[in-house]
Amino acid sequence: MNTIIRQLTLADVPYVYDICLKTGNNGKDASELFMDPYMIGQYYAAPYLFYEIDVCFGAVNNDAAYKRPSGYIIGTSDSASYYEWFYSVWIPQVQLLYPRDSIFKSPNEKRISKIIYEKNESPDGEILKEYPAHLHIDLLSELQGRGAGKSLMNTFFEALKKKDCKGLHLGVAKDNENAVGFYKKIGFNILEESQYSFLLGIKF
């Protein structure tokens, strides 16, 4: 497969929602867990393209007839500013779509609904000073194990360096052993540990 990495555009938003859903169950397809297939992407994916699209990239099968992304890396170089925008501008619009008394198809959907109405705790200020960026990376199965993840990470790193960003953090579930191993292999270290997850960080 001839895979290329390119910057995402707003025309890619539907595909970003789709990838987020199809990897939304710890890397597996979460389609059966949500009545609204866009719900998970409203929180974890789409807003990044509307906030800082120049650090959002897609992995594309260049041999395919259509050049839609089959994986992405999305994030921000300044998490503190992103969260301020996210909770003041983006989330109020999303809340209009999902009333508090909605009926849920699964615990996963209920969890997303809950965090839409409750500010998710971000790392403390000291961590954000040293590791201001954060990211989400997801690949459909057709791209997994082909080096696309590493290429996306390297492209994202270079974009952050151009913005004089000195480090980034990300959260990962402890039981997602493949992801934990991947991040450690490319240089991430454990910053914090909770019962179910790690907060990892890397400096540039």
Side-chain angles (χ1 to χ4, degrees):
M1 182 184 294
N2 177 19
T3 304
I4 62 168
I5 307 300
R6 65 164 172 80
Q7 186 175 322
L8 292 174
T9 72
L10 292 182
D12 293 309
V13 168
Y15 308 118
V16 168
Y17 276 116
D18 187 57
I19 294 166
C20 187
L21 178 67
K22 290 180 178 176
T23 58
N25 185 18
N26 272 338
K28 299 177 183 178
D29 194 347
S31 297
E32 296 302 314
L33 303 178
F34 290 88
M35 286 189 291
D36 183 346
Y38 303 104
M39 187 181 195
I40 188 171
Q42 301 281 24
Y43 192 87
Y44 287 113
Y48 293 95
L49 275 70
F50 291 91
Y51 185 75
E52 196 173 1
I53 198 169
D54 58 330
V55 297
C56 298
F57 301 93
V60 178
N61 177 5
N62 203 36
D63 294 327
Y66 297 106
K67 311 305 181 185
R68 57 167 290 177
S70 296
Y72 60 64
I73 190 165
I74 52 181
T76 176
S77 63
D78 185 344
S79 297
S81 295
Y82 171 80
Y83 290 133
E84 182 179 352
W85 169 86
F86 181 71
Y87 287 112
S88 64
V89 177
W90 183 266
I91 282 296
Q93 299 177 69
V94 174
Q95 288 172 344
L96 297 175
L97 303 173
Y98 308 109
R100 286 182 181 272
D101 58 353
S102 299
I103 297 173
F104 306 113
K105 189 175 183 180
S106 68
N108 305 64
E109 190 171 55
K110 184 176 182 179
R111 181 181 67 84
I112 299 297
S113 178
K114 181 179 179 181
I115 61 178
I116 284 171
Y117 281 93
E118 297 179 5
K119 283 190 176 182
N120 199 20
E121 288 190 18
S122 62
D124 64 40
E126 290 304 311
I127 287 179
L128 290 183
K129 285 180 183 178
E130 296 299 315
Y131 305 89
H134 75 266
L135 64 83
H136 299 279
I137 181 170
D138 290 302
L139 300 171
L140 296 180
S141 58
E142 65 196 69
L143 286 186
Q144 293 175 10
R146 297 176 177 269
K150 186 175 181 180
S151 295
L152 284 168
M153 293 292 287
N154 288 336
T155 302
F156 188 75
F157 290 170
E158 290 304 312
L160 294 184
K161 291 174 185 177
K162 289 178 181 178
K163 294 194 168 195
D164 296 321
C165 179
K166 60 183 180 180
L168 73 91
H169 67 275
L170 58 85
V172 60
K174 285 183 176 179
D175 59 5
N176 193 343
E177 295 179 358
N178 288 338
V180 173
F182 169 74
Y183 293 129
K184 286 184 176 181
K185 187 176 181 179
I186 62 175
F188 281 82
N189 297 303
I190 296 174
L191 303 178
E192 292 180 353
E193 180 177 351
S194 65
Q195 184 177 359
Y196 300 109
S197 64
F198 294 117
L199 181 69
L200 305 179
I202 188 171
K203 289 283 191 70
F204 303 128

